Amino acid sequence: MYTGKKGKGAFCNGEQLKVSGQEDITKSLILTEVGYKQNPDIAKTMFSNMERLVCIPVHGIRAVGTAAVNMCLVATGGADAYYHIGIHCWDMAAGAVIVTEAGGVVMDINGGPFDLMSRRLITASSKAIGERIAKEIQAFPCGRDDGKD
């Protein structure tokens, strides 16, 4: 079981977690979510984002599982980054704490500060990886969880 508490660290079954610390995007394994958004233009943007990253090039891109699993994989060092547009606050909150407590970074997809209600995020093993992903991907409209669109 994964746990994290602000200022107290992140753990899996009692073992402290640490991100990979990878700074080189070309050696990075990136996770994302490919979900149906009922809009062909959004699907095109999602696949275009993946293509932009693959062409940097990166080590690889995977769509592994749930947001929580993906963020915990970043926290363990099993992956170097995870990005998602259209995710909800309840799917981000705990994972964001776990990644941060494991030494990673959490930011908005534009590279700015993380906004829990924005429905989008990048988690990464380093600021350099997160910022490079932010530079490459394009946003699409997904609304906010607090209704302040």
Side-chain angles (χ1 to χ4, degrees), residues 9-75:
F11 301 85
C12 180
N13 297 327
E15 299 274 334
Q16 189 157 18
L17 301 178
K18 181 81 175 128
V19 296
S20 70
Q22 182 61 256
E23 302 251 348
D24 183 349
I25 192 80
T26 67
K27 296 178 181 174
S28 295
L29 179 62
I30 300 172
L31 306 176
T32 191
E33 174 65 28
V34 182
Y36 180 63
K37 305 294 185 208
Q38 300 179 341
N39 180 324
D41 291 330
I42 290 175
K44 286 177 188 174
T45 303
M46 289 171 58
F47 289 112
S48 173
N49 285 341
M50 292 172 62
E51 180 182 25
R52 288 167 179 258
L53 293 170
V54 166
C55 291
I56 288 174
V58 298
H59 174 74
I61 296 179
R62 307 280 188 276
V64 178
T66 68
V69 168
N70 291 334
M71 286 187 267
C72 287
L73 284 169
V74 173

Side-chain angles (χ1 to χ4, degrees), residues 55-120:
C55 291
I56 288 174
V58 298
H59 174 74
I61 296 179
R62 307 280 188 276
V64 178
T66 68
V69 168
N70 291 334
M71 286 187 267
C72 287
L73 284 169
V74 173
T76 65
D80 302 299
Y82 167 64
Y83 74 94
H84 194 147
I85 303 168
I87 188 172
H88 289 284
C89 60
W90 52 85
D91 292 319
M92 295 189 283
V97 171
I98 290 170
V99 169
T100 303
E101 287 301 310
V105 297
V106 181
M107 62 181 65
D108 187 81
I109 61 158
N110 67 10
F114 172 58
D115 175 356
L116 183 63
M117 295 294 132
S118 71
R119 298 193 57 207
R120 55 195 215 175

